[in-house]
């Protein structure tokens, strides 16, 4: 089982943190700090496995990490997972991000952290590996994004009828209506 | 006018624009205030945006609990955009410890049953991440229905959700077991992956399920074979291996099913051989599959040829350049070192090589494995390697390494001298990392090896002279010098280089230890006691020692002060007893060295308390014997006050109603015989006091020479009380002269089995004799 997935940069700033077991907020932040501390001390040409820190519990847990440019991807797993398999999983995750974001870089992760969560949710669910086929994942994400966009379009098409909206929404609606009339 | 709220990206820009931590906090607090106001006003349109910002802020570590109710509202909204953010918020902000989490159960239920698969997917995802036991119970049937849905996307998510549910509520296994067989026929890899995970979970939890699923082994074998033999398929392959994740999972499940089961193991044999030989390991994916195969082969009842193949694969991996592969190889070998010890032993040289790795993870694994591989035939070589590792390893591994070496030395030491050498070397290299009992163990070991006393004391002296900072080493050295100081000074020892040591040097060294700021209080105690002991061992005068001891009489440390004062008293008032008290310690029982220290303490306490002289030496030495008999460490209580007068005994006897012996008479016991000197015990149980036993010790001498300075002492277990009356004399004339008698009064309130140890010292035929022995064959009537 995967206990946690963390992404942080070379200075320890968290870019994504997902925990699959309940921890309090303080503990979560402590885990992020401790993991960064352990991982940043590692040399470049050592193995990608670390025995887990004290917080995330027990001698059963390992930290499996990969360093891509300015980001560390760290998966904290217990002994039931294959270590080399998780290394491959991290690779698949990063490649999927690459496909979804077109040459992903740290800024993409910073500004679209909710999208990263959505992508991750298609790969790992409840601490278990759900899907590893990149195409499947990307297809699903595209379908969901389309669903979102069509909703926005529908609402703006409905426009002023019976909806409470503020000044900004008026502006947004008119803008969309413009573009809609063009495409239609 | 409502201020337009920031979009998430804009907020992130602002936060990144902040130059200091304080500025960032300010920006975030301002925004959180806006968000809180927006939540209060109940603005449905921008709720999702506000929550998204809140979640971002939460990731950075700021409080976000006020968003929990908003998650609920968003989940209940019909819009997909809202639901998406709402469910994400639920996963990040809610968990089973908050009461609010139960409120989303209803929403999840609705979302599971309506038809849009994206929405169903969201609900299942959230349920599997933060679903509590109650939620799982409520929603189990819904999830079960979804297992049969046409959409493979929903089905694969439902299967994994089922795994989570079983983890939270094991009784639900009954619901989720039946669909598994059918799900195995799926072609969709996602569903297969989930199903294998589900079956694995079921089998791990219940032996009945395990038995049930052994039926599917042939099918699993078929699936795996298809994966292995199909050519390159773009769909699921990673570096040329088709769906290694699924392969690894299947292998893991096969391992669980084949364990301890001949039939299943046999079904898998061919396939495992095929996978083991055909997998391309040039890339990580192939190696992952191969490792899993090796673990499975070793765990099931596989053919011997296959096992050999597996171990050889691991051996090959140990030599691989890729550090990850070496790490996993070491981990796998560690798992099998118990069951296939000899096979793993063959790779010992390579494992030892890995000790020298700069990579801390690798060297830690190598250390664990090396310690597990030490046995009686390779102990010398391995200890050598481990010791050189100890000198250079990172600090967090030192404690483990040191205790590992000491343990291995204890189990497999070929000779005592080697054992002492090894411990000495560990103490010199990593003294501060050893555990507390190492000192006790070493003193006990040295004490027991009489032939090595001279050798030990010389080596310890040299080590101490070089370095007085390692506390365990200093403690042992001080103790040794104190005990065997005379051996240090006299003559030479063949086993070490000739070392000419002057008395003054020894004293100076001990004083240095006493005064050094590096010495802990316990160490100082050892040094002071050692100095005292040397006062009897050394031939020169003890003025220097007296001076030092008297200085410490006003030391601030209470423990040292007490010792110094008592030793001072020993010099002044009881000088004639000093030799007897400070003589060499007898061999201690295991765990008894602490007791010796305490026995000495209570000895001194006794000294300062009572003023009586004649029975004191007997009493104090008695304590030694008392504790020896029990062999357990604990508080050494001073013995009950002795009644020295003979008259008292007579009076007591006369007090008994009627002088004749009680009805059951206990047979006499001859306990000792040597060169004409015999010792007999006779027992009397007065009827009035059932707990009392009177033992009359009679010593007779039938030899041709007198026995002089005859002293008999006794010791009994702690639960007893013992009183020794004064003996009738201390000389046994030759040729059957008047015997010496002594009365022992033993109180046994608990009716515990009686054990008696006797110590005799006397002069016979011009030689001084000391005998210590336990009395066997004590008749049961003495204590029942």
């Amino acid at each position: 089982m995967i206990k946690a997935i963390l992404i942080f940069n070379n200075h320890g700033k968290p870019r994504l943190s997902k925990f699959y077991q309940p921890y309090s907020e303080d503990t979560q932040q402590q885990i992020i700090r401790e993991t960064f501390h352990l991982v940043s001390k590692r040399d470049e040409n050592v193995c990608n496995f670390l025995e887990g820190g004290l917080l995330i519990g027990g001698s059963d847990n390992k930290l499996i990490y990969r360093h891509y440019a300015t980001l560390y991807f760290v998966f904290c797993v217990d002994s039931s997972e294959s270590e080399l398999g998780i290394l491959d999983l991290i690779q698949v995750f990063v490649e999927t991000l690459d496909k979804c974001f077109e040459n992903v870089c740290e800024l993409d992760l910073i500004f679209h952290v909710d999208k990263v969560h959505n992508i991750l949710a298609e790969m790992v669910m409840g601490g278990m590996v759900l899907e590893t086929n990149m195409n499947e994942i990307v297809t699903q994400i595209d379908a969901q994004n389309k669903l979102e966009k069509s909703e926005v379009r529908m609402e703006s098409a409905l426009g002023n009828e019976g909806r409470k909206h503020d000044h900004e929404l008026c502006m947004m609606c008119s803008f969309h209506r413009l573009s809609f009339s063009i495409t239609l | 006018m409502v201020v337009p709220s920031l979009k998430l990206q804009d907020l992130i820009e602002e936060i990144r624009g902040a130059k200091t931590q304080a500025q960032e906090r300010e920006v975030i607090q301002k925004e959180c205030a806006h968000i809180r106001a927006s939540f209060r006003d109940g603005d449905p349109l921008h709720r999702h945006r506000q929550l998204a910002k809140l979640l971002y802020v939460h990731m950075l570590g700021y409080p976000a609990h006020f968003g929990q109710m908003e998650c609920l509202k968003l989940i209940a909204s019909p819009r997909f955009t809202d639901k998406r953010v709402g469910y994400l918020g639920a996963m990040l902000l809610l968990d089973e410890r908050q009461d609010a989490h139960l409120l989303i159960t209803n929403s999840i239920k609705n979302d599971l049953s309506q038809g849009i698969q994206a929405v169903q997917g969201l609900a299942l995802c959230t349920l599997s991440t933060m679903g509590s036991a109650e939620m799982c119970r409520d929603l189990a049937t819904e999830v079960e229905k979804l297992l049969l849905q046409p959409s493979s996307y929903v089905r694969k998510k439902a299967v994994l959700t089922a795994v989570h549910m079983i983890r939270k509520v094991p009784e639900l296994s009954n619901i989720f077991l039946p669909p598994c067989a059918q799900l195995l026929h799926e072609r969709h890899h996602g569903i297969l992956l989930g199903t294998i995970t589900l079956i694995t979970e079921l089998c791990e939890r219940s032996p009945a399920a395990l038995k049930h699923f052994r039926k599917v082994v042939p099918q699993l074998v078929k699936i795996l074979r298809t994966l292995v033999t199909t050519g390159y398929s773009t769909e699921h392959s990673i570096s040329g291996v088709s769906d290694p994740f699924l392969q690894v999972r299947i292998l893991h499940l096969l391992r669980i099913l084949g364990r301890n089961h001949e039939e299943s193991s046999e079904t898998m044999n061919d396939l495992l051989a095929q996978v083991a030989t055909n997998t391309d390991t040039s890339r990580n994916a192939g190696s992952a599959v191969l490792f899993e195969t090796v673990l499975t082969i070793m765990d099931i009842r596989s053919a011997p040829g296959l096992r050999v193949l597996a171990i050889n694969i691991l051996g090959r991996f140990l030599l691989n350049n890729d550090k990850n592969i070496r790490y996993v190889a070491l981990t796998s070998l560690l798992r099998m070192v118990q069951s296939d010890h000899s096979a793993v032993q063959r790779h010992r040289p390579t494992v030892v090589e890995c000790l020298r790795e700069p990579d801390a993870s690798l060297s830690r694994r190598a250390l664990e494995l090396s310690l597990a591989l030490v046995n009686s035939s390779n102990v010398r070589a391995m200890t050598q390697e481990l010791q050189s590792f100890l000198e250079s390893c990172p600090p967090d591994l030192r404690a483990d390494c040191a205790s590992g070496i000491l343990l291995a030395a204890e189990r497999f030491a070929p000779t005592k001298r080697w054992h002492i050498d090894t411990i000495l070397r560990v103490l010199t290299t990593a003294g501060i990392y050893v555990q507390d009992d190492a000192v006790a163990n070493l003193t006990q070991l040295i004490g027991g090896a009489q032939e090595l006393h001279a050798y030990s004391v010389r080596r310890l002296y040299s080590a101490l002279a070089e370095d007085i900072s390692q506390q365990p080493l200093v403690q042992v050295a001080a103790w040794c010098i104190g005990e065997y100081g005379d051996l240090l000074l006299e003559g030479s020892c063949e086993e070490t280089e000739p070392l000419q040591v002057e008395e003054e040097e020894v004293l100076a060294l001990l004083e240095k230890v006493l005064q050094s700021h590096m010495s802990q209080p316990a160490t100082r105690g050892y040094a002071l006691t050692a100095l005292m002991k040397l006062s009897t061992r050394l031939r020169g005068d003890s003025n220097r020692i007296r001076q030092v001891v008297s200085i410490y009489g006003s030391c601030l440390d209470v423990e040292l002060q007490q010792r110094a004062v008592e030793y001072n008293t020993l010099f002044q008032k009881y000088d004639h007893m000093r030799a007897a008290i400070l003589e060499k310690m007898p061999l201690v029982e295991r765990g008894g060295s602490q007791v010796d220290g305490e026995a000495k303490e209570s000895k001194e306490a006794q000294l300062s308390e009572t003023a009586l002289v004649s029975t004191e030496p007997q009493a104090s030495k008695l304590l030694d014997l008392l504790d020896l008999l029990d062999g357990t460490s604990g508080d050494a209580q001073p013995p009950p006050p002795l009644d020295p007068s003979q008259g008292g005994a007579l009076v007591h006897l006369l007090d008994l109603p009627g002088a004749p012996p009680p009805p059951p008479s206990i047979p006499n016991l001859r306990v000792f015989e040597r060169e004409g000197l015999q010792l007999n015990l006779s027992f009397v149980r007065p009827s009035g006091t059932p707990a009392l036993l009177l033992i009359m010790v009679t010593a007779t001498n039938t030899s041709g020479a007198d026995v002089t300075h005859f002293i008999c002492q006794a010791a009994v277990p702690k639960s007893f009380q013992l009183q020794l009356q004064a003996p009738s004399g201390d000389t046994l004339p030759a040729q059957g002269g008047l015997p010496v008698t002594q009365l022992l009064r033993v109180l046994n309130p608990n009716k515990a089995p009686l054990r008696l140890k006797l110590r005799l010292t006397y002069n016979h035929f011009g030689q001084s004799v000391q005998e210590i022995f336990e009395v066997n064959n004590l008749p049961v009537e003495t204590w029942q």
Side-chain angles (χ1 to χ4, degrees), chain A residues 23 25 42 45 47-49 51 84 88 110 122 125 131 133 136 144-145 148 151 155 169, chain B residues 16 45 58 79-81 84 97 128 153 156-157 188 235 284-285 323-324 327 359 361 365:
Chain A
Y23 295 104
E25 265 90 31
R42 301 281 282 171
N45 51 352
C47 67
N48 297 85
F49 309 115
E51 314 294 289
L84 296 177
D88 275 332
I110 297 173
E122 293 300 323
M125 201 175 86
E131 179 66 67
N133 182 349
E136 279 254 2
Q144 288 171 13
N145 290 341
E148 262 198 38
E151 257 179 9
E155 272 148 25
L169 184 57
Chain B
R16 280 168 65 78
L45 248 54
H58 173 254
R79 295 172 76 212
F80 179 70
T81 321
R84 212 180 196 186
R97 291 167 310 162
S128 69
Y153 174 72
K156 83 178 176 199
K157 287 205 168 181
H188 187 272
E235 272 293 297
N284 190 48
K323 297 224 164 67
N324 294 330
Y327 178 91
D359 179 350
S361 299
R365 288 283 137 164

Side-chain angles (χ1 to χ4, degrees), chain B residues 420-709:
Chain B
I420 292 177
D421 280 341
T422 310
I423 303 187
L424 200 56
R425 193 168 162 194
V426 170
L427 285 182
T428 341
T429 335
I432 40 177
Y433 295 101
V434 297
Q435 290 177 336
D436 298 329
D437 59 354
V439 172
N441 285 344
L442 184 54
T443 51
Q444 201 251 351
L445 185 63
I446 294 179
Q450 195 160 10
E451 66 281 10
L452 293 171
H453 283 168
Y455 172 74
S456 319
V457 72
R458 272 159 198 284
R459 290 229 37 210
L460 281 167
Y461 178 78
S462 325
L464 187 62
E466 276 182 35
D467 173 21
I468 60 168
S469 62
Q470 306 251 32
Q471 295 303 297
L473 180 65
V474 174
Q475 288 174 3
V476 177
W479 181 87
C480 223
I481 294 176
E483 278 290 299
Y484 311 119
D486 45 341
L487 293 174
L488 179 61
L489 296 168
E490 88 198 7
S492 61
C493 170
E494 325 81 52
E495 302 188 32
T496 62
E497 294 164 10
L499 180 67
Q500 201 42 37
V501 182
E502 301 293 328
E503 284 181 16
E504 296 299 313
E505 290 175 1
V506 178
L507 294 180
L509 186 58
L510 283 176
E511 282 169 30
K512 192 169 150 200
V513 170
L514 261 180
Q515 289 157 8
S516 162
H517 62 278
M518 292 186 279
S519 302
Q520 288 172 358
T523 317
R524 288 219 177 96
Y526 271 96
L528 194 61
T529 310
L531 269 177
M532 262 316 277
K533 290 189 204 168
L534 283 179
S535 72
T536 51
R537 313 266 197 270
L538 300 184
R539 277 182 289 264
D541 71 50
S542 43
N543 273 333
R544 187 167 171 180
I545 299 178
R546 287 181 79 141
Q547 271 182 328
V548 174
V549 165
S550 59
I551 291 175
Y552 277 88
S554 46
C555 172
L556 279 177
D557 185 302
V558 178
E559 161 81 24
L560 278 181
Q561 192 189 92
Q562 181 177 0
R563 285 190 192 221
V565 165
E566 288 163 1
Y567 292 149
N568 245 338
T569 321
L570 202 53
F571 270 123
Q572 286 162 12
K573 282 205 248 167
Y574 299 105
D575 205 34
H576 52 282
M577 286 199 290
R578 194 158 42 93
I581 291 182
L582 296 172
E583 68 179 27
K584 288 220 178 91
M585 285 210 249
L587 178 58
V588 194
E589 302 277 337
R590 195 78 214 198
S593 59
Q594 253 185 341
V595 177
D596 277 330
E598 293 182 38
K600 285 239 278 306
E601 305 264 338
S602 36
K603 248 196 265 178
E604 269 86 68
Q606 265 270 304
L607 268 180
S608 2
E609 280 168 15
T610 56
L612 293 172
V613 178
S614 52
T615 49
E616 282 322 307
Q618 295 205 358
S620 40
K621 283 184 200 161
L622 213 56
L623 265 172
D624 246 347
L625 292 175
L626 269 174
D627 293 327
L628 276 178
L629 198 55
D630 260 86
T632 52
S633 58
D635 301 322
Q637 299 145 2
L642 291 188
D643 185 357
S645 57
Q646 256 180 335
L650 270 174
V651 169
H652 202 89
L653 275 174
L654 281 175
D655 282 345
L656 290 173
S665 70
I666 310 170
N668 289 357
L669 198 62
R670 167 164 301 178
V671 297
F672 178 74
E673 157 104 62
R674 183 176 159 167
E675 295 172 313
L677 174 66
Q678 291 160 2
L679 209 70
N680 277 337
L681 297 182
S682 60
F683 306 95
V684 173
R685 292 284 293 277
S687 48
T689 46
L692 179 63
L693 170 71
L694 300 171
I695 307 178
M696 183 66 85
V697 180
T698 313
T700 47
N701 181 6
T702 53
S703 70
D706 291 348
V707 170
T708 56
H709 299 94

Side-chain angles (χ1 to χ4, degrees), chain B residues 7 50 52 108 116 121 149 268 412 432 467 485 615 640 653 713:
Chain B
K7 294 212 306 212
Q50 308 290 46
I108 294 186
I116 306 179
Q149 272 252 308
M268 304 176 208
F412 301 116
I432 40 177
D467 173 21
T615 49
L653 275 174
Q713 294 161 314

Side-chain angles (χ1 to χ4, degrees), chain A:
Chain A
M1 176 175 167
I2 301 175
K3 299 281 172 78
I5 296 180
L6 306 170
I7 306 179
F8 42 77
N9 72 358
N10 291 343
H11 303 291
K13 267 211 124 45
R15 297 300 178 210
L16 180 108
S17 66
K18 189 77 197 276
F19 291 88
Y20 293 100
Q21 278 191 325
Y23 295 104
S24 75
E25 265 90 31
D26 287 332
T27 320
Q28 287 183 3
Q29 288 299 315
Q30 258 182 311
I31 291 174
I32 296 176
R33 274 196 298 270
E34 189 189 51
T35 312
F36 170 66
H37 184 68
L38 285 169
V39 161
S40 56
K41 279 197 300 194
R42 301 281 282 171
D43 268 336
E44 275 313 307
N45 51 352
V46 296
C47 67
N48 297 85
F49 309 115
L50 259 180
E51 314 294 289
L54 303 158
L55 276 177
I56 202 149
S59 52
D60 199 27
N61 294 346
K62 288 197 193 60
L63 294 172
I64 304 182
Y65 70 96
R66 283 192 104 137
H67 193 182
Y68 295 90
T70 56
L71 288 174
Y72 283 101
F73 284 70
V74 184
F75 278 45
C76 178
V77 304
D78 68 9
S79 55
S80 70
E81 297 286 338
S82 154
E83 291 103 344
L84 296 177
I86 296 288
L87 276 183
D88 275 332
L89 187 66
I90 300 181
Q91 183 67 21
V92 172
F93 181 38
V94 174
E95 280 176 16
T96 314
L97 286 177
D98 201 37
K99 202 124 183 242
C100 292
F101 283 105
E102 323 254 323
N103 294 325
V104 66
C105 64
E106 191 183 341
L107 279 177
D108 292 315
L109 296 187
I110 297 173
F111 282 100
H112 299 284
V113 66
D114 50 342
K115 293 202 176 54
V116 181
H117 268 290
N118 296 333
I119 296 172
L120 186 58
E122 293 300 323
M123 283 186 64
V124 177
M125 201 175 86
M128 295 167 279
V129 178
L130 172 68
E131 179 66 67
T132 55
N133 182 349
M134 212 161 51
N135 295 330
E136 279 254 2
I137 300 172
V138 175
T139 316
Q140 268 305 316
I141 296 289
D142 284 342
Q144 288 171 13
N145 290 341
K146 267 203 198 91
L147 192 53
E148 262 198 38
K149 286 210 183 78
S150 69
E151 257 179 9
V152 174
R153 264 186 251 133
M154 264 209 313
E155 272 148 25
S156 54
L158 290 171
N160 298 326
E161 294 163 30
R163 285 200 125 220
K164 188 171 78 167
H165 52 266
D166 65 6
H167 180 71
E168 196 196 31
L169 184 57
C170 276
M171 295 284 290
M172 198 175 72
C173 289
S174 45
F175 171 76
H176 276 285
R177 226 179 297 145
L178 264 172
S179 60
F180 234 66
S181 49
I182 293 172
T183 53
L184 281 174

Side-chain angles (χ1 to χ4, degrees), chain B residues 739-750:
Chain B
V740 164
T741 56
Q742 191 168 13
L743 185 65
L744 277 61
R745 289 167 57 89
V746 179
L747 260 177
N748 180 10
N750 302 330

